[in-house]
Amino acid sequence: MRRTITGFSNPTVKAIRALRDKKHRRRAGQFLAEGLRLLTDARENGHLPRQLVMATGRDPHPLLDELEAAVSAAGGEVIETSRDILSKITGKDNPQAVAGVFDEFDTSLSSLDRSRSGIWLVAQALRDPGNIGTMLRTGDAVGAGGLILIDDCADPFGVETVRASMGAIFTQQMAQARWGDFLVWLRRAEGQLVAASLRDAVPYRGAPYAAPCFVLVGNESQGLPEEYETACDLRVTMPMRGRADSLNAAMAAAVLSYEVLAALDA
Amino acid sequence: MRRTITGFSNPTVKAIRALRDKKHRRRAGQFLAEGLRLLTDARENGHLPRQLVMATGRDPHPLLDELEAAVSAAGGEVIETSRDILSKITGKDNPQAVAGVFDEFDTSLSSLDRSRSGIWLVAQALRDPGNIGTMLRTGDAVGAGGLILIDDCADPFGVETVRASMGAIFTQQMAQARWGDFLVWLRRAEGQLVAASLRDAVPYRGAPYAAPCFVLVGNESQGLPEEYETACDLRVTMPMRGRADSLNAAMAAAVLSYEVLAALDA
């Protein structure tokens, strides 16, 4: 059953809008995703929104009808509201016609299924939400199992991250951990930890990659701490023909992931 | 000689601030770049700002002193102003301590020096300023000659593009052209046009790349028009293990550029 909301000061609107803020996301354990495409990706991967918010005057779409039916059947709430209110909720001048409120996933290391793929992406202290979203998307492209966020990374449930992931937040598994805990978890089973590095490293092409391979990139400006690199099984370096730090962290992860994919497939 | 500006409504402040807007950039033929790192990259590559804007209370830095001296010697203007006004100019809450106003470069095809490199990046209808900045940065990393923007791309002199390029806007050559004009220019000399494609394509690894190689990627959501792909000398495809369009255009360009770099070096 649909509920219609017309007031900006409606408490439900306020609560959903507050999910743009990290503190409120933590408290609610929920996050916001926008757009029919993303919400359809979510549904296909077993994630239904608790609340589905649709704009009045939207174009009808069979996928949206299916989504609405699925949300209702699962006991979720379907809300119809104005474009203006949806714009206020999402913070965009031209909001998508639909948004959803999802429960945050379990991001403990123990929630990961290591047998899922031979490639995993690992990011340390990555601060840019767009970079995290892009890494999720790259992970999806190479068929990685998921993304592990080490130390203080940007919030993977932030609006910008979710947007930049283009739906991959729903296809990739995700964990958050401190470095020490990650290492203990990693060494409990087979797994090769590979650092994108400038120190004591072999060329990234033709390096002896082995599955399951965990591809680790460091912070956008500092790179990886030296002791983290030392703990890796393999350090690889990519040619830099321009200024030393000219490759974006998410780019380096993409180039390296495709190299690992090719090596494991060979 | 330094000039001090204290008023928000000062016409110079207004004129510089207006450069955040494309229309005003076109009219003035100038653009804005922020940060000592970017401005130093600019200087090292032969670009000095017409106007150098510095915040009062900034930390002293020898590179900033050198920059100021160089701008003054070249007849440029050095302006000292408050953090608040600098924040207003750059649109950032925590602005860098320094910004510069640069003349836009000549972006005609004839300004390109084809002998400069064996790799060039080409983007068609790329709409995201961040993607264009990232492609410039990738170009810098692989030692490309520059970036050619085909049809209606985001403005390469926009604040977001310049920021995302991390200085590569000053190290890479750049041209803007319609497709037809680009093809005429390309075919006037040797050059292999390679499309990142899903149609009738060979695997991107081990494809017969040849210098000078022009790596072409298409619009973020539509990809390349079919007739553009047909005009290419080589169409290559990358594995997509996730959803079909899961790779970001700038990511695809990076993975492909590194492959071309390795092939040409071999």
Side-chain angles (χ1 to χ4, degrees):
Chain A
M1 207 193 69
R2 279 188 212 164
R3 178 179 155 206
T4 303
I5 295 181
T6 53
F8 279 93
S9 57
N10 177 286
T12 304
V13 168
K14 279 190 177 167
I16 298 177
R17 182 169 190 263
L19 296 177
R20 288 169 52 203
D21 182 70
K22 184 174 175 175
K23 198 179 62 192
H24 285 99
R25 281 198 298 277
R26 268 319 80 76
R27 198 177 299 155
Q30 296 187 315
F31 70 99
L32 199 60
E34 312 147 59
L36 182 56
R37 157 80 194 270
L38 242 77
L39 268 60
T40 300
D41 279 341
R43 184 163 74 91
E44 285 171 357
N45 287 278
H47 298 279
L48 279 175
R50 290 260 176 205
Q51 290 169 305
L52 177 68
V53 189
M54 307 187 298
T56 50
R58 67 192 174 277
D59 292 329
H61 198 293
L63 283 174
L64 186 50
D65 295 340
E66 287 174 33
L67 187 62
E68 182 181 356
V71 170
S72 293
E77 187 177 24
V78 178
I79 295 165
E80 198 164 47
T81 192
S82 68
R83 288 252 172 203
D84 282 352
I85 289 180
L86 206 56
S87 175
K88 190 170 176 177
I89 286 176
T90 61
K92 284 178 86 174
D93 286 344
N94 294 302
Q96 305 249 22
V98 57
V101 174
F102 292 83
D103 286 344
E104 290 190 355
F105 323 139
D106 177 7
T107 59
S108 62
L109 288 166
S110 58
S111 73
L112 301 180
D113 171 11
R114 283 169 83 139
S115 69
R116 195 178 183 225
S117 172
I119 306 180
W120 293 80
L121 300 190
V122 190
Q124 185 261 339
L126 214 60
R127 307 314 295 261
D128 182 277
N131 278 342
I132 294 189
T134 301
M135 281 191 70
L136 285 165
R137 203 171 164 190
T138 298
D140 183 71
V142 298
L147 174 64
I148 302 168
L149 300 172
I150 302 292
D151 300 343
D152 298 315
C153 290
D155 182 9
F157 298 109
V159 173
E160 271 182 82
T161 307
V162 173
R163 203 176 277 159
S165 86
M166 297 286 283
I169 193 157
F170 297 110
T171 69
Q172 292 286 289
Q173 294 189 349
M174 215 159 48
Q176 296 178 289
R178 306 304 304 180
W179 174 247
D181 296 330
F182 166 69
L183 268 194
V184 168
W185 173 85
L186 179 74
R187 298 310 182 196
R188 244 184 242 148
E190 231 183 329
Q192 181 193 48
L193 187 56
V194 179
S197 165
L198 296 171
R199 281 185 282 259
D200 178 29
V202 300
Y204 84 109
R205 283 186 80 93
Y209 302 109
C213 182
F214 293 78
V215 176
L216 171 64
V217 298
N219 171 270
E220 289 93 345
S221 50
Q222 262 92 50
L224 289 167
E226 193 169 353
E227 67 269 30
Y228 288 29
E229 289 194 7
T230 308
C232 288
D233 303 300
L234 183 63
R235 285 160 292 280
V236 299
T237 186
M238 278 172 271
M240 293 287 162
R241 298 291 165 89
R243 290 146 314 139
D245 56 350
S246 52
L247 204 62
N248 165 305
M251 290 286 140
V255 173
L256 198 44
S257 300
Y258 265 91
E259 189 63 26
V260 171
L261 178 63
L264 299 185
D265 272 3
Chain B
M1 209 191 67
R2 277 188 214 164
R3 178 178 154 204
T4 302
I5 295 181
T6 54
F8 279 93
S9 56
N10 177 286
T12 303
V13 167
K14 280 190 176 167
I16 298 178
R17 183 170 190 263
L19 295 177
R20 287 169 54 204
D21 182 70
K22 183 174 175 177
K23 197 178 63 192
H24 286 98
R25 282 197 298 277
R26 267 321 78 75
R27 197 177 299 155
Q30 297 187 315
F31 70 99
L32 199 60
E34 311 148 57
L36 182 56
R37 156 80 195 271
L38 241 78
L39 267 61
T40 301
D41 279 341
R43 184 162 75 91
E44 285 171 355
N45 287 279
H47 298 279
L48 279 175
R50 290 261 176 202
Q51 290 169 307
L52 176 68
V53 189
M54 307 187 298
T56 49
R58 66 191 174 276
D59 293 329
H61 199 293
L63 282 174
L64 187 51
D65 295 340
E66 286 175 33
L67 188 62
E68 183 181 355
V71 169
S72 293
E77 188 178 23
V78 178
I79 296 164
E80 198 163 47
T81 192
S82 69
R83 287 253 174 206
D84 282 352
I85 288 180
L86 206 56
S87 176
K88 190 170 175 178
I89 285 175
T90 61
K92 286 179 86 173
D93 285 345
N94 294 302
Q96 305 249 21
V98 57
V101 174
F102 291 84
D103 288 343
E104 289 190 356
F105 322 139
D106 176 7
T107 59
S108 62
L109 288 165
S110 58
S111 72
L112 302 179
D113 171 11
R114 285 169 81 141
S115 68
R116 196 177 182 226
S117 173
I119 305 181
W120 293 80
L121 300 190
V122 190
Q124 186 260 339
L126 214 60
R127 307 315 295 260
D128 182 279
N131 278 343
I132 294 188
T134 302
M135 283 191 70
L136 285 165
R137 203 171 164 190
T138 298
D140 183 70
V142 297
L147 174 64
I148 302 168
L149 300 171
I150 302 293
D151 299 343
D152 297 316
C153 289
D155 182 11
F157 297 110
V159 173
E160 272 182 82
T161 308
V162 173
R163 203 176 277 158
S165 86
M166 297 286 282
I169 193 158
F170 296 111
T171 69
Q172 291 287 288
Q173 294 190 349
M174 214 158 49
Q176 295 177 291
R178 306 306 302 182
W179 174 247
D181 297 330
F182 166 68
L183 269 193
V184 168
W185 173 84
L186 179 74
R187 299 310 183 196
R188 245 184 240 148
E190 229 182 329
Q192 180 192 49
L193 187 57
V194 179
S197 166
L198 296 171
R199 281 184 282 259
D200 177 30
V202 300
Y204 83 109
R205 283 184 80 92
Y209 302 108
C213 182
F214 292 79
V215 175
L216 171 63
V217 299
N219 171 270
E220 288 93 346
S221 50
Q222 261 92 51
L224 289 167
E226 193 169 354
E227 66 269 30
Y228 288 30
E229 289 194 5
T230 309
C232 289
D233 302 301
L234 183 63
R235 284 159 294 278
V236 298
T237 185
M238 279 172 271
M240 293 287 162
R241 297 291 166 89
R243 289 148 314 142
D245 55 351
S246 52
L247 204 63
N248 166 305
M251 289 286 140
V255 174
L256 198 44
S257 300
Y258 265 90
E259 189 63 27
V260 171
L261 178 64
L264 299 186
D265 272 3

